[in-house]
C-alpha cells in the first residue's frame, strides 16, 4: 500500500469548504464497513460464493438466493472474486459452449456496488471439465483451445477486471512445475505459462496479470521457484504484473511471520503483490463452539496477514475467501477443521472481523 496521506489531507481540507452532500447509496463513508475503513486505493475483497462445493450442500446458490449475504457482500467489500464461477468447468462446460451467466451477474453486481473484480482463473490443474481432461487432443488442438478460452473469457470482461489470476498453483510444494497433473504444462511444456500471460494481455491490456498459489506466504522452496520464474518471465518480456499468496492458513501451524519480507522481494522485482484467498481455519472444538482463545488466535492471523500487505508498497489488494462460515469450503476440504471466516453462520461479526476493520482504520489514519 503506497502512502496517500497528503491526498487524504487535501481531501479533508476540501471537504471543509464544501456544502454537505447527502451520502450516495454506496458511499464509502460508513466507518463500520471494511471498504470504508480501508485507506484510499486499497481493495478489500471477498470470494463470491457459488459453484464448486456449494453445489453439494443443502442450500441454494448463495450469491443469487441469499439476500442477507448479498447485502453484506455489497456493503463491506470493494473487490470481489468469483469463487468458482470463472473456472473452466463452470464457464466452459462444453468445448463449443461457454456459460457466462454467473460470471456476468457477479461483474454486473460489482459495477453496481462500486467494486473491482479479480478474475480467477485461466490456467490451472484443477476444476477443469471432463471434455478437456479426457479429450485426447493433439498438442496443436490443446494450444488452440487454451488460446481461444483466454481470448474469449478475458476479452469478454476486458476493462472490467482489475486483476486476473492467469496461472494458478503451477508449482508443487517442492517447487517443481506441475508437469504431471497440469494438463497444459504436461502436454505443452513450461513455455505455455508465458503464452497464457501474452494471450491474456492481448485480450485485456489493462488487467494486471498474476501468478497465484498457496503455501507461498513464506520464503520457502515454492515461493523461491516463483521468484526465479518471475525473473525469467520478465527477462523474456512476458507481461506478468503480480504475484499473490492465497493464504489459506490454519491455527494448527504458526503464522508465516516472513509474509511481509516475502511480498517485499516480489515488490523489489517490480511486481504488484496481493493476498487473494485468506481464511484461517481452526480445529473444531468439542461442543462445536470455538473458544475465546481460538477466536483471538484467529483474529491475530487475520490482522497479521493484512498488516503485512498494508506494509508493502505494491500490495493494494487483500481478499478473504468468503466472509461467513456458512458457506466456507473448509469443512468440506479439511476434516476436523472449520470456523475459518470472519463472520459466523448467522453473519455475526467475529473478533477477526473487528481486527481487520481496526487495522484498516489505523492504516487509513496513517
Ligand atoms: C475452492 C472453492 O472455494 C470451492 O468451492 C471449490 O469446491 C474448490 O475450490 N485455491 C484456489 C481456489 O485457487 O479456487 C479454491 O477454491 C481454494 C484453493
Amino acid at each position: 500500500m503506497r502512502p496517500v496521506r497528503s491526498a487524504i489531507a487535501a481531501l479533508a481540507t476540501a471537504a471543509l469548504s464544501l456544502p454537505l452532500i447527502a451520502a450516495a447509496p454506496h458511499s464509502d463513508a460508513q466507518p463500520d464497513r471494511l471498504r470504508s475503513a480501508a485507506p484510499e486505493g486499497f481493495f478489500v475483497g471477498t470470494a463470491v460464493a457459488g459453484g464448486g462445493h456449494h453445489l453439494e450442500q443443502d442450500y441454494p446458490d448463495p450469491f443469487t438466493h441469499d439476500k442477507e449475504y448479498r447485502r453484506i457482500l455489497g456493503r463491506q467489500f470493494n473487490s470481489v472474486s468469483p469463487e468458482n464461477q470463472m473456472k473452466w468447468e463452470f464457464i466452459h462446460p462444453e468445448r463449443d459452449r461457454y456459460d457466462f451467466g454467473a460470471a456476468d451477474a457477479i461483474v454486473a453486481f460489482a459495477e453496481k456496488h462500486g467494486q473491482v473484480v479479480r478474475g480467477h482463473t485461466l490456467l490451472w490443474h484443477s476444476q477443469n471439465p471432463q471434455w478437456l481432461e479426457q479429450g485426447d487432443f493433439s498438442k496443436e488442438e490443446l494450444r488452440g483451445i487454451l488460446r481461444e478460452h483466454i481470448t474469449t473469457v478475458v476479452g469478454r470482461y476486458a476493462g472490467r477486471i482489475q486483476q486476473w489470476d492467469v496461472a494458478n498453483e503451477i508449482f508443487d510444494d517442492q517447487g517443481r512445475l506441475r508437469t504431471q497433473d497440469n494438463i497444459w504444462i504436461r502436454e505443452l511444456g513450461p513455455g505455455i505459462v508465458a503464452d497464457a500471460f501474452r494471450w491474456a494481455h492481448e485480450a485485456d491490456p489493462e488487467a494486471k496479470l498474476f501468478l497465484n498459489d498457496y503455501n507461498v506466504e513464506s520464503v520457502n522452496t515454492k515461493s523461491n521457484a516463483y521468484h526465479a520464474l518471475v525473473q525469467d518471465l520478465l527477462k523474456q518480456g512476458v507481461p506478468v504484473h503480480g504475484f499473490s499468496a492465497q493464504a489459506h492458513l490454519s491455527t494448527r501451524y504458526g503464522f508465516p511471520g516472513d509474509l511481509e519480507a516475502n511480498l517485499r522481494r516480489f515488490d523489489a522485482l517490480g511486481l504488484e503483490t496481493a493476498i487473494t484467498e485468506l481464511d484461517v481455519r481452526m480445529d473444531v472444538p468439542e461442543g462445536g463452539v470455538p473458544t475465546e482463545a481460538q477466536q483471538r488466535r484467529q483474529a491475530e492471523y487475520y490482522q497479521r496477514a493484512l498488516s503485512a500487505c498494508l506494509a508493502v508498497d505494491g500490495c493494494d489488494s487483500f481478499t478473504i475467501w468468503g466472509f461467513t462460515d456458512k458457506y466456507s469450503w473448509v469443512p468440506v476440504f479439511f476434516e476436523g477443521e472449520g470456523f475459518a471466516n470472519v463472520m459466523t453462520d448467522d453473519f455475526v461479526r467475529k473478533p477477526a472481523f473487528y481486527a481487520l476493520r481496526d487495522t484498516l482504520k489505523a492504516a487509513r489514519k496513517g
Side-chain angles (χ1 to χ4, degrees), residues 222-349:
K222 196 176 188 177
S223 63
N224 287 345
Y226 277 100
H227 199 251
L229 174 69
V230 164
Q231 292 173 74
D232 189 38
L233 292 174
L234 291 175
K235 230 181 275 164
Q236 295 175 58
V238 177
V240 54
H241 309 123
F243 168 78
S244 47
Q246 294 178 4
H248 292 292
L249 305 181
S250 168
T251 56
R252 279 188 186 176
Y253 316 107
F255 181 83
D258 55 353
L259 173 58
E260 181 185 324
N262 190 37
L263 297 177
R264 273 191 201 288
R265 68 178 177 147
F266 286 91
D267 188 73
L269 297 178
L271 258 60
E272 295 191 17
T273 54
I275 302 294
T276 54
E277 307 183 12
L278 177 64
D279 51 17
V280 183
R281 55 192 193 269
M282 57 177 78
D283 287 308
V284 174
E286 252 175 66
V289 182
T291 64
E292 259 180 49
Q294 281 183 302
Q295 304 242 41
R296 270 204 308 275
R297 188 165 157 89
Q298 177 182 58
E300 184 202 320
Y301 280 42
Y302 269 96
Q303 185 268 317
R304 291 180 71 182
L306 174 58
S307 295
C309 178
L310 285 165
V312 176
D313 271 1
C315 192
D316 294 337
S317 175
F318 172 88
T319 295
I320 57 180
W321 207 235
F323 52 89
T324 166
D325 290 340
K326 185 176 182 183
Y327 297 132
S328 173
W329 73 307
V330 166
V332 180
F333 284 81
F334 300 89
E335 217 192 319
E337 292 182 275
F339 304 105
N341 301 88
V342 302
M343 293 184 190
T344 66
D345 283 2
D346 305 326
F347 304 109
V348 174
R349 297 165 180 194

Side-chain angles (χ1 to χ4, degrees), residues 47 50-54 56 82-84 87 89 120-121 124 126-127 165 168-169 212 214 246 248 277 321 327-330 332-333:
H53 79 278
H54 301 285
E56 278 108 57
E83 184 176 357
N84 293 288
K87 292 174 182 173
E89 66 175 6
H120 178 76
T121 180
W124 194 22
S126 186
Q127 291 185 267
D165 291 330
N168 196 34
E169 304 177 352
N212 185 56
Y214 63 90
Q246 294 178 4
H248 292 292
E277 307 183 12
W321 207 235
Y327 297 132
S328 173
W329 73 307
V330 166
V332 180
F333 284 81

Side-chain angles (χ1 to χ4, degrees), residues 12-65:
T13 320
L16 288 176
S17 56
L18 287 173
L20 279 180
I21 303 168
H26 299 295
S27 142
D28 280 348
Q30 311 288 340
D32 71 323
R33 298 181 186 181
L34 298 176
R35 63 184 290 176
S36 330
E40 284 296 315
F42 192 80
F43 294 92
V44 52
T46 179
V48 177
H53 79 278
H54 301 285
L55 300 175
E56 278 108 57
Q57 310 303 306
D58 59 2
Y59 50 70
D61 179 65
F63 175 66
T64 43
H65 283 74

Side-chain angles (χ1 to χ4, degrees), residues 127-300:
Q127 291 185 267
N128 287 327
Q130 283 288 320
W131 70 261
L132 173 66
E133 291 280 351
Q134 312 296 335
D136 215 12
F137 297 109
S138 70
K139 293 191 190 317
E140 293 70 40
E141 281 174 317
L142 268 181
R143 198 176 152 76
I145 287 170
L146 182 63
R147 183 172 192 160
E148 188 228 66
H149 177 94
I150 291 178
T151 304
T152 305
V153 176
V154 177
R156 182 177 184 88
Y157 302 109
R160 305 164 76 193
I161 301 273
Q162 185 195 44
Q163 303 183 342
W164 264 109
D165 291 330
V166 173
N168 196 34
E169 304 177 352
I170 56 173
F171 288 105
D172 66 17
D173 284 349
Q174 281 69 48
R176 292 179 301 231
L177 267 184
R178 289 184 189 264
T179 50
Q180 296 308 309
D181 54 356
N182 186 308
I183 180 174
W184 310 111
I185 299 172
R186 183 182 69 229
E187 301 300 328
L188 303 173
I192 195 63
V193 174
D195 285 333
F197 278 87
R198 292 188 184 105
W199 296 330
H201 187 61
E202 268 169 35
D204 183 357
E206 282 176 44
K208 300 292 182 188
L209 306 182
F210 275 70
L211 292 155
N212 185 56
D213 213 325
Y214 63 90
N215 285 352
V216 291
E217 292 71 39
S218 285
V219 174
N220 58 28
T221 311
K222 196 176 188 177
S223 63
N224 287 345
Y226 277 100
H227 199 251
L229 174 69
V230 164
Q231 292 173 74
D232 189 38
L233 292 174
L234 291 175
K235 230 181 275 164
Q236 295 175 58
V238 177
V240 54
H241 309 123
F243 168 78
S244 47
Q246 294 178 4
H248 292 292
L249 305 181
S250 168
T251 56
R252 279 188 186 176
Y253 316 107
F255 181 83
D258 55 353
L259 173 58
E260 181 185 324
N262 190 37
L263 297 177
R264 273 191 201 288
R265 68 178 177 147
F266 286 91
D267 188 73
L269 297 178
L271 258 60
E272 295 191 17
T273 54
I275 302 294
T276 54
E277 307 183 12
L278 177 64
D279 51 17
V280 183
R281 55 192 193 269
M282 57 177 78
D283 287 308
V284 174
E286 252 175 66
V289 182
T291 64
E292 259 180 49
Q294 281 183 302
Q295 304 242 41
R296 270 204 308 275
R297 188 165 157 89
Q298 177 182 58
E300 184 202 320

